[in-house]
Amino acid sequence: MDSRTVFVLLWMLLSSTSTGIKLDGNGYVDVVIAISSKVPQDIRLIDKIKEMVTEGSFYLYDALDEKVYFREATILVPPQIDNANPAYGVEPYTNQYGECGAEGEYIHFTPEYLLNDTLIELYGSRGRVFVHEWAHVRWGVYDECNGEKPFYHSNGHIEATR
Ligand SMILES: *[C@@H]1O[C@H](CO)[C@@H](O)[C@H](O)[C@H]1NC(C)=O
């Protein structure tokens, strides 16, 4: 099997008009995480996703002065849309092409990223990485530094990424 087919897409389903993700009180609900049909079935993935979201929820709650957390997330098992992206390897990323502050479309994780604990040393704990990517997808926060996108559009102006 081509190793690329092993890429997973964990899909934060956001409808085009308004996000599918809602804030109910202080808890985010309707967060959808989907596993690509191209990913070999592996029960450990579900546990790792649960751990990641649970840890991320505590981290988010802490980071935002106890204002919000993840109340409810749905894990969809295949079939689902895949969007393998060899450019990123195992590194998680967020599709966010809009202006700074615009919502992104989804966060992408690979099965290897979720299953290989050695990668935690490289990227930090999965819950924290999830919240970091969440900031991109939900609030359109840009990376503090970005070699690939050193500039961004803001109110019709071009700004340096910072
Ligand atoms: C886990 O990731 C490390 C670092 O990339 C790699 O050296 C190792 O072979 C991986 N382990 C497995 C089981 O794939």
Side-chain angles (χ1 to χ4, degrees), residues 113-133:
Y113 172 74
L114 291 167
L115 296 173
N116 186 340
D117 288 341
T118 308
L119 296 172
I120 292 175
E121 290 162 30
L122 197 58
Y123 297 114
S125 82
R126 291 192 190 95
R128 277 176 176 250
V129 170
F130 181 51
V131 169
H132 175 95
E133 297 301 325

Side-chain angles (χ1 to χ4, degrees), residues 94-161:
T94 299
N95 252 25
Q96 201 274 71
Y97 296 122
E99 291 203 333
C100 198
E103 270 181 6
E105 291 172 67
Y106 57 81
I107 300 171
H108 183 280
F109 297 103
T110 63
E112 175 169 15
Y113 172 74
L114 291 167
L115 296 173
N116 186 340
D117 288 341
T118 308
L119 296 172
I120 292 175
E121 290 162 30
L122 197 58
Y123 297 114
S125 82
R126 291 192 190 95
R128 277 176 176 250
V129 170
F130 181 51
V131 169
H132 175 95
E133 297 301 325
W134 177 264
H136 294 312
V137 79
R138 180 68 190 179
W139 301 304
V141 173
Y142 278 23
D143 275 324
E144 292 80 4
C145 60
N146 189 331
E148 281 167 31
K149 281 186 281 184
F151 302 100
Y152 63 92
H153 293 273
S154 174
N155 293 325
H157 298 286
I158 309 258
E159 300 261 359
T161 301

Side-chain angles (χ1 to χ4, degrees), residues 41-95:
Q41 195 175 344
D42 188 335
I43 195 73
R44 292 175 305 161
L45 274 176
I46 309 278
D47 289 333
K48 293 290 185 184
I49 291 166
K50 282 188 200 159
E51 279 171 29
M52 177 175 73
V53 175
T54 304
E55 190 202 346
S57 185
F58 282 113
Y59 180 57
L60 185 67
Y61 191 67
D62 216 41
L64 290 182
D65 292 330
E66 311 188 348
K67 286 201 182 71
V68 289
Y69 58 96
F70 299 118
R71 173 173 296 162
E72 191 189 288
T74 306
I75 301 174
L76 293 183
V77 291
Q80 251 297 329
I81 308 155
D82 189 21
N83 200 16
N85 193 333
Y88 287 88
V90 296
E91 188 176 344
Y93 68 89
T94 299
N95 252 25

